[in-house]
Amino acid sequence: MGDKMPFGFVTSFTIRCQSKRTKWIVGVTVVLAGLNFAPLWIVNYMNGGASAVNGYIRNAHYFVCSHGTCSEVSKQMWERSYWFAYSAVGGLLFVVVMLAIFSAKGEVIFDSTKSS
């Protein structure tokens, strides 16, 4: 089959054209998603880099885990870590879906580069 993939992989996207309305809406959403991401970093830092998403609950004890090491934390800290993680992922997904919708409406045009 050689070194070439049958369909090629997209290696980068650039926004070639977008409306002012789209710039404003996407810009504000990216800023809000970024501000939502900051507490996730802070909570994970307070947990020693561990996350409730990788953790578990056993017998009313709450554990956050990272790289195979788990630490017990309070219920409040576990819940903060859990909800900040999922809300941060939700914010990023919201931006991607919004860009897809604007792209389908023709308000955002992407250029993509494929590897050969």
Side-chain angles (χ1 to χ4, degrees), residues 36-56 62-66 71 73-89:
N36 188 38
F37 210 72
L40 174 66
W41 285 337
I42 293 167
V43 168
N44 283 350
Y45 178 77
M46 291 170 64
N47 290 336
S51 171
V53 173
N54 299 323
Y56 59 93
Y62 296 82
F63 297 89
V64 292
C65 300
S66 177
S71 304
V73 296
S74 69
K75 179 181 178 182
Q76 284 181 328
M77 186 59 78
W78 191 90
E79 287 177 345
R80 282 185 193 129
S81 177
Y82 182 85
W83 288 112
F84 280 136
Y86 281 109
S87 67
V89 169

Side-chain angles (χ1 to χ4, degrees), residues 9-116:
F9 290 98
V10 174
T11 56
S12 68
F13 277 108
T14 21
I15 295 176
R16 182 168 45 114
C17 178
Q18 63 180 327
S19 68
K20 284 185 178 185
R21 179 178 84 113
T22 304
K23 282 183 186 180
W24 190 86
I25 292 172
V26 172
V28 168
T29 306
V30 166
V31 167
L32 291 174
L35 290 173
N36 188 38
F37 210 72
L40 174 66
W41 285 337
I42 293 167
V43 168
N44 283 350
Y45 178 77
M46 291 170 64
N47 290 336
S51 171
V53 173
N54 299 323
Y56 59 93
I57 303 169
R58 184 172 291 148
N59 299 326
H61 293 272
Y62 296 82
F63 297 89
V64 292
C65 300
S66 177
H67 303 289
T69 304
C70 298
S71 304
E72 187 172 2
V73 296
S74 69
K75 179 181 178 182
Q76 284 181 328
M77 186 59 78
W78 191 90
E79 287 177 345
R80 282 185 193 129
S81 177
Y82 182 85
W83 288 112
F84 280 136
Y86 281 109
S87 67
V89 169
L92 294 174
L93 287 174
F94 187 66
V95 170
V96 170
V97 168
M98 187 184 323
L99 284 171
I101 290 169
F102 284 138
S103 177
K105 291 179 71 177
E107 292 188 39
V108 173
I109 299 172
F110 291 102
D111 280 339
S112 60
T113 306
K114 290 187 179 185
S115 61
S116 49

